[in-house]
Amino acid sequence: MKRQRIVAGNWKMNKTFDEGRDLAISIIQQLGPSENLAVLCPPFIHLNYLSVLTNGIANLKLGAQNCHFEESGAFTGEISAAMLKSVEAEFVILGHSERREYFKEAGELLAKKVDSTLKHGLRPIFCCGEKLDAREAGNQEEIVKQQLEEGLFHLEESQFSNVVIAYEPVWAIGTGKTASPEQAQEMHRYIRNLISLKYSSHTANLTTILYGGSCNPKNAKELFSQPDVDGGLIGGASLHATDFISIFNSFPVSG
Ligand code: PGA
C-alpha cells in the first residue's frame, strides 16, 4: 500500500457563495485525473452545493475547517460532525493555528473534536506547528510532539490510520516565509518517527503528512520532492484556481 498524497485548499473566511461556486468550477475544469487527492475546504455555506458539483470526481473531495465535538444541541453558531457528513464532507481541518490563537483551541478540546470527527467517518486534517519564538529557541520538535500527544495520541492505531497531519510552522502561515525544504523534511521525518514509536512503522509509513505555510506554485515542487512531505495544506494560493492546480501538479512524477 502506498501513502496517499494530498493537496488541500483551506479557503479560510473567504468567498461568497457565487465566488466559491466559480472557484470550484474553475478548479474542476482544470483538474486532470490523478492518483493524488485534491481537497477543498471552503466555509460551511459552500459545502452542500460543492458536494453536487464534485459528485463523481474521484480525486476531488470536500473538507470543513472546523466542527464541534458534541452530537447536537444548544451550541449556537456551531456545527457538528454528523452535519458535515450529511453534506458529503470527508475531511475536517482541526487544530489550525488560527483556531488555536484566536479561539483558544488546544489539547483536550481538540482531542474531543478528533474523536467526534472519526466517530462520524470523517478524516481529521490535524494541524501542528511551532511559533517563531519556539523555532528560534530550537524548541520546535518539543512543541509539535506535545500537540500530537495532546490531540491525537490517545487514539487506537486503527483510528489513527484515518488521520492526516499538517505541519504548519506558524511563522510561515500567510507571511510569504516558507520553511525551507530541509526544515520541512526534518520536521516531517521527526513526526513520522513519533508515529512509528507510538504505533508502528507500518502506520507511520502510511500516514499522510502535509506541509502548510506560504506554499505556492513556485516552491511546491521542491517541498513535495522531500521524501516525507506528502503534499500541502494551502491557504492564500488555494483561492486562485490556476495556482491551486499548479500546486496540485507539483508532485514528482515517479513518487
Ligand atoms: P497560507 O496558509 O498558505 O496562506 O500560508 C496555510 C494555512 O493556514 O493552512
Side-chain angles (χ1 to χ4, degrees):
M1 218 157 103
K2 232 164 68 172
R3 66 176 173 258
Q4 189 161 46
R5 301 192 296 189
I6 298 174
V7 171
N10 175 9
W11 293 7
K12 306 192 180 182
M13 196 173 73
N14 293 293
K15 303 294 178 188
T16 61
F17 183 82
D18 287 359
E19 291 166 350
R21 177 200 57 208
D22 293 349
L23 174 58
I25 288 173
S26 191
I27 287 171
I28 290 166
Q29 283 167 346
Q30 295 177 56
L31 185 78
S34 159
E35 60 180 5
N36 305 320
L37 206 59
V39 179
L40 305 182
C41 302
F44 299 129
I45 62 143
H46 297 288
L47 284 170
N48 192 25
Y49 189 67
L50 294 199
S51 75
V52 177
L53 284 184
T54 58
N55 186 23
I57 305 175
N59 63 340
L60 183 58
K61 305 289 181 199
L62 295 177
Q65 299 172 18
N66 182 29
C67 77
H68 197 273
F69 59 84
E70 291 285 358
E71 294 294 312
S72 63
F75 301 98
T76 302
E78 293 293 330
I79 194 154
S80 73
M83 291 172 188
L84 296 175
K85 185 76 182 172
S86 75
V87 288
E88 319 281 333
E90 294 189 26
F91 292 85
V92 185
I93 298 172
L94 292 175
H96 190 279
S97 66
E98 286 148 20
R99 304 251 7 136
R100 291 178 189 268
E101 178 77 14
Y102 305 135
F103 303 95
K104 305 298 166 220
E105 296 194 2
E108 204 184 320
L109 173 79
L110 291 176
K112 287 204 257 181
K113 290 188 175 204
V114 166
D115 290 345
S116 178
T117 299
L118 289 168
K119 181 176 169 201
H120 290 279
L122 294 153
R123 301 182 62 188
I125 299 176
F126 186 87
C127 304
C128 57
E130 80 286 356
K131 292 186 184 172
L132 185 60
D133 55 347
R135 169 64 63 168
E136 285 174 346
N139 293 334
Q140 64 270 19
E141 292 185 347
E142 207 176 299
I143 301 285
V144 166
K145 182 174 183 214
Q146 191 184 346
Q147 290 169 339
L148 297 180
E149 281 176 346
E150 288 176 353
L152 290 179
F153 282 177
H154 63 289
L155 297 173
E156 299 292 330
E157 187 165 4
S158 61
Q159 297 176 300
F160 185 86
S161 60
N162 292 306
V163 171
V164 171
I165 291 178
Y167 168 58
E168 300 204 303
V170 180
W171 46 271
I173 296 178
T175 58
K177 265 192 219 162
T178 322
S180 70
E182 295 74 26
Q183 284 173 321
Q185 167 56 24
E186 203 173 53
M187 182 60 87
H188 283 226
R189 192 184 47 213
Y190 174 74
I191 292 170
R192 206 176 299 287
N193 191 42
L194 288 179
I195 300 166
S196 183
L197 291 172
K198 169 71 192 172
Y199 298 106
S200 65
S201 59
H202 175 76
T203 291
N205 279 329
L206 286 179
T207 302
T208 300
I209 307 177
L210 309 178
Y211 168 79
S214 298
C215 187
N216 61 43
K218 286 206 174 80
N219 58 32
K221 253 198 180 82
E222 219 185 332
L223 286 161
F224 293 1
S225 67
Q226 302 302 311
D228 288 294
V229 177
D230 308 313
L233 179 55
I234 319 299
S238 75
L239 301 174
H240 308 279
T242 45
D243 286 353
F244 182 70
I245 292 293
S246 159
I247 294 170
F248 183 71
N249 292 333
S250 294
F251 287 108
V253 178
S254 56

Short mmCIF file of all heavy atoms in Angstrom, two decimals, residues 62 67 71 81-86 88-92 113-124 159 162-163:
data_model
loop_
_atom_site.label_atom_id
_atom_site.label_comp_id
_atom_site.label_asym_id
_atom_site.label_seq_id
_atom_site.Cartn_x
_atom_site.Cartn_y
_atom_site.Cartn_z
N LEU A 62 -14.19 16.96 -0.39
CA LEU A 62 -14.51 18.17 0.37
C LEU A 62 -14.13 18.03 1.84
O LEU A 62 -14.20 16.94 2.40
CB LEU A 62 -16.01 18.47 0.28
CG LEU A 62 -16.53 18.81 -1.10
CD1 LEU A 62 -18.05 18.99 -1.03
CD2 LEU A 62 -15.87 20.08 -1.64
N CYS A 67 -15.22 21.75 13.43
CA CYS A 67 -16.53 21.23 13.85
C CYS A 67 -16.57 21.19 15.37
O CYS A 67 -15.54 21.28 16.03
CB CYS A 67 -16.82 19.86 13.26
SG CYS A 67 -15.96 18.51 14.04
N GLU A 71 -22.72 16.05 19.70
CA GLU A 71 -23.56 15.48 18.64
C GLU A 71 -24.55 16.51 18.09
O GLU A 71 -24.81 16.59 16.89
CB GLU A 71 -24.35 14.28 19.17
CG GLU A 71 -23.48 13.10 19.54
CD GLU A 71 -22.80 12.48 18.34
OE1 GLU A 71 -23.49 12.24 17.34
OE2 GLU A 71 -21.58 12.27 18.39
N ALA A 81 -20.13 17.15 13.48
CA ALA A 81 -19.51 16.25 12.50
C ALA A 81 -20.59 15.55 11.68
O ALA A 81 -20.44 15.36 10.47
CB ALA A 81 -18.63 15.23 13.22
N ALA A 82 -21.70 15.17 12.33
CA ALA A 82 -22.78 14.49 11.60
C ALA A 82 -23.35 15.41 10.51
O ALA A 82 -23.69 14.96 9.42
CB ALA A 82 -23.88 14.07 12.57
N MET A 83 -23.47 16.70 10.83
CA MET A 83 -23.98 17.64 9.82
C MET A 83 -23.03 17.73 8.63
O MET A 83 -23.46 17.78 7.48
CB MET A 83 -24.14 19.04 10.44
CG MET A 83 -25.23 19.14 11.46
SD MET A 83 -25.11 20.76 12.26
CE MET A 83 -26.31 20.54 13.56
N LEU A 84 -21.74 17.74 8.93
CA LEU A 84 -20.75 17.82 7.84
C LEU A 84 -20.81 16.57 6.98
O LEU A 84 -20.75 16.63 5.76
CB LEU A 84 -19.34 17.98 8.44
CG LEU A 84 -19.12 19.27 9.21
CD1 LEU A 84 -17.74 19.28 9.85
CD2 LEU A 84 -19.29 20.47 8.29
N LYS A 85 -20.96 15.43 7.64
CA LYS A 85 -21.06 14.17 6.91
C LYS A 85 -22.29 14.19 5.99
O LYS A 85 -22.26 13.68 4.87
CB LYS A 85 -21.17 13.03 7.93
CG LYS A 85 -21.15 11.66 7.36
CD LYS A 85 -19.76 11.25 6.92
CE LYS A 85 -19.76 9.88 6.29
NZ LYS A 85 -18.48 9.53 5.69
N SER A 86 -23.36 14.82 6.46
CA SER A 86 -24.61 14.82 5.70
C SER A 86 -24.52 15.65 4.41
O SER A 86 -25.38 15.55 3.55
CB SER A 86 -25.78 15.29 6.57
OG SER A 86 -25.72 16.69 6.75
N GLU A 88 -21.68 15.50 2.62
CA GLU A 88 -20.62 14.80 1.87
C GLU A 88 -19.21 15.28 2.16
O GLU A 88 -18.30 15.00 1.38
CB GLU A 88 -20.84 14.88 0.35
CG GLU A 88 -22.26 14.71 -0.13
CD GLU A 88 -22.69 13.26 -0.17
OE1 GLU A 88 -21.81 12.40 -0.34
OE2 GLU A 88 -23.89 13.00 -0.01
N ALA A 89 -19.01 16.03 3.25
CA ALA A 89 -17.62 16.35 3.61
C ALA A 89 -16.94 15.05 4.02
O ALA A 89 -17.57 14.16 4.60
CB ALA A 89 -17.59 17.36 4.76
N GLU A 90 -15.66 14.93 3.70
CA GLU A 90 -14.92 13.74 4.10
C GLU A 90 -13.77 14.07 5.04
O GLU A 90 -13.20 13.20 5.67
CB GLU A 90 -14.37 13.01 2.86
CG GLU A 90 -15.49 12.45 2.01
CD GLU A 90 -15.00 11.53 0.90
OE1 GLU A 90 -13.92 10.93 1.01
OE2 GLU A 90 -15.73 11.43 -0.10
N PHE A 91 -13.39 15.36 5.09
CA PHE A 91 -12.26 15.78 5.92
C PHE A 91 -12.70 16.95 6.81
O PHE A 91 -13.64 17.66 6.47
CB PHE A 91 -11.10 16.27 5.04
CG PHE A 91 -10.45 15.17 4.23
CD1 PHE A 91 -10.97 14.79 2.99
CD2 PHE A 91 -9.31 14.52 4.70
CE1 PHE A 91 -10.37 13.77 2.24
CE2 PHE A 91 -8.71 13.51 3.96
CZ PHE A 91 -9.24 13.14 2.73
N VAL A 92 -12.00 17.14 7.92
CA VAL A 92 -12.20 18.33 8.76
C VAL A 92 -10.83 18.81 9.22
O VAL A 92 -10.07 18.04 9.83
CB VAL A 92 -13.05 18.05 10.02
CG1 VAL A 92 -13.32 19.36 10.76
CG2 VAL A 92 -14.35 17.37 9.67
N LYS A 113 -12.69 16.87 19.55
CA LYS A 113 -13.12 17.13 18.17
C LYS A 113 -12.62 16.02 17.25
O LYS A 113 -13.34 15.60 16.34
CB LYS A 113 -12.57 18.49 17.70
CG LYS A 113 -13.24 19.68 18.38
CD LYS A 113 -12.81 20.99 17.74
CE LYS A 113 -13.58 22.15 18.37
NZ LYS A 113 -13.68 23.31 17.50
N VAL A 114 -11.41 15.58 17.47
CA VAL A 114 -10.86 14.48 16.67
C VAL A 114 -11.75 13.25 16.85
O VAL A 114 -12.12 12.58 15.88
CB VAL A 114 -9.40 14.17 17.10
CG1 VAL A 114 -8.94 12.83 16.55
CG2 VAL A 114 -8.47 15.29 16.65
N ASP A 115 -12.13 12.96 18.08
CA ASP A 115 -12.96 11.78 18.36
C ASP A 115 -14.31 11.86 17.64
O ASP A 115 -14.77 10.88 17.04
CB ASP A 115 -13.21 11.65 19.87
CG ASP A 115 -11.95 11.25 20.62
OD1 ASP A 115 -10.99 10.80 19.95
OD2 ASP A 115 -11.92 11.40 21.85
N SER A 116 -14.94 13.02 17.71
CA SER A 116 -16.25 13.17 17.09
C SER A 116 -16.13 13.05 15.57
O SER A 116 -16.97 12.41 14.91
CB SER A 116 -16.84 14.53 17.49
OG SER A 116 -18.08 14.68 16.87
N THR A 117 -15.09 13.64 15.02
CA THR A 117 -14.85 13.57 13.58
C THR A 117 -14.72 12.12 13.13
O THR A 117 -15.38 11.68 12.19
CB THR A 117 -13.55 14.35 13.26
OG1 THR A 117 -13.75 15.69 13.65
CG2 THR A 117 -13.20 14.31 11.81
N LEU A 118 -13.89 11.36 13.82
CA LEU A 118 -13.66 9.96 13.45
C LEU A 118 -14.91 9.12 13.65
O LEU A 118 -15.24 8.25 12.85
CB LEU A 118 -12.50 9.38 14.27
CG LEU A 118 -11.11 9.93 13.89
CD1 LEU A 118 -10.08 9.54 14.92
CD2 LEU A 118 -10.70 9.46 12.49
N LYS A 119 -15.61 9.42 14.73
CA LYS A 119 -16.84 8.67 15.02
C LYS A 119 -17.83 8.75 13.86
O LYS A 119 -18.57 7.80 13.59
CB LYS A 119 -17.47 9.24 16.31
CG LYS A 119 -18.72 8.53 16.72
CD LYS A 119 -19.25 9.07 18.03
CE LYS A 119 -20.66 8.50 18.23
NZ LYS A 119 -21.43 9.31 19.16
N HIS A 120 -17.85 9.88 13.20
CA HIS A 120 -18.79 10.07 12.09
C HIS A 120 -18.18 9.76 10.73
O HIS A 120 -18.73 10.12 9.69
CB HIS A 120 -19.37 11.48 12.14
CG HIS A 120 -20.30 11.66 13.29
ND1 HIS A 120 -21.61 11.23 13.26
CD2 HIS A 120 -20.10 12.13 14.55
CE1 HIS A 120 -22.17 11.45 14.43
NE2 HIS A 120 -21.28 12.00 15.23
N GLY A 121 -17.04 9.12 10.74
CA GLY A 121 -16.45 8.66 9.48
C GLY A 121 -15.78 9.75 8.68
O GLY A 121 -15.57 9.61 7.47
N LEU A 122 -15.45 10.85 9.35
CA LEU A 122 -14.70 11.92 8.68
C LEU A 122 -13.22 11.79 9.05
O LEU A 122 -12.89 11.22 10.10
CB LEU A 122 -15.21 13.29 9.15
CG LEU A 122 -16.64 13.63 8.76
CD1 LEU A 122 -17.23 14.60 9.78
CD2 LEU A 122 -16.69 14.22 7.38
N ARG A 123 -12.37 12.33 8.20
CA ARG A 123 -10.93 12.25 8.48
C ARG A 123 -10.40 13.60 8.94
O ARG A 123 -10.51 14.59 8.20
CB ARG A 123 -10.17 11.80 7.22
CG ARG A 123 -10.62 10.45 6.70
CD ARG A 123 -9.79 10.05 5.49
NE ARG A 123 -8.38 9.90 5.85
CZ ARG A 123 -7.41 9.70 4.96
NH1 ARG A 123 -7.68 9.64 3.68
NH2 ARG A 123 -6.16 9.57 5.37
N PRO A 124 -9.82 13.67 10.13
CA PRO A 124 -9.24 14.94 10.57
C PRO A 124 -7.96 15.27 9.79
O PRO A 124 -7.16 14.38 9.52
CB PRO A 124 -8.88 14.72 12.04
CG PRO A 124 -9.21 13.31 12.36
CD PRO A 124 -9.67 12.61 11.14
N GLN A 159 -7.81 3.72 14.55
CA GLN A 159 -8.43 5.05 14.37
C GLN A 159 -7.42 6.02 13.77
O GLN A 159 -7.73 6.80 12.87
CB GLN A 159 -8.88 5.62 15.72
CG GLN A 159 -9.95 4.84 16.44
CD GLN A 159 -10.20 5.46 17.80
OE1 GLN A 159 -9.30 5.56 18.65
NE2 GLN A 159 -11.41 5.91 18.02
N ASN A 162 -6.77 6.89 10.02
CA ASN A 162 -7.62 7.79 9.25
C ASN A 162 -7.21 9.26 9.35
O ASN A 162 -7.86 10.13 8.78
CB ASN A 162 -9.08 7.66 9.71
CG ASN A 162 -9.64 6.30 9.35
OD1 ASN A 162 -9.58 5.90 8.19
ND2 ASN A 162 -10.13 5.57 10.34
N VAL A 163 -6.16 9.51 10.10
CA VAL A 163 -5.75 10.89 10.37
C VAL A 163 -4.74 11.37 9.32
O VAL A 163 -3.85 10.62 8.93
CB VAL A 163 -5.12 10.99 11.78
CG1 VAL A 163 -4.49 12.36 12.01
CG2 VAL A 163 -6.16 10.69 12.86
#
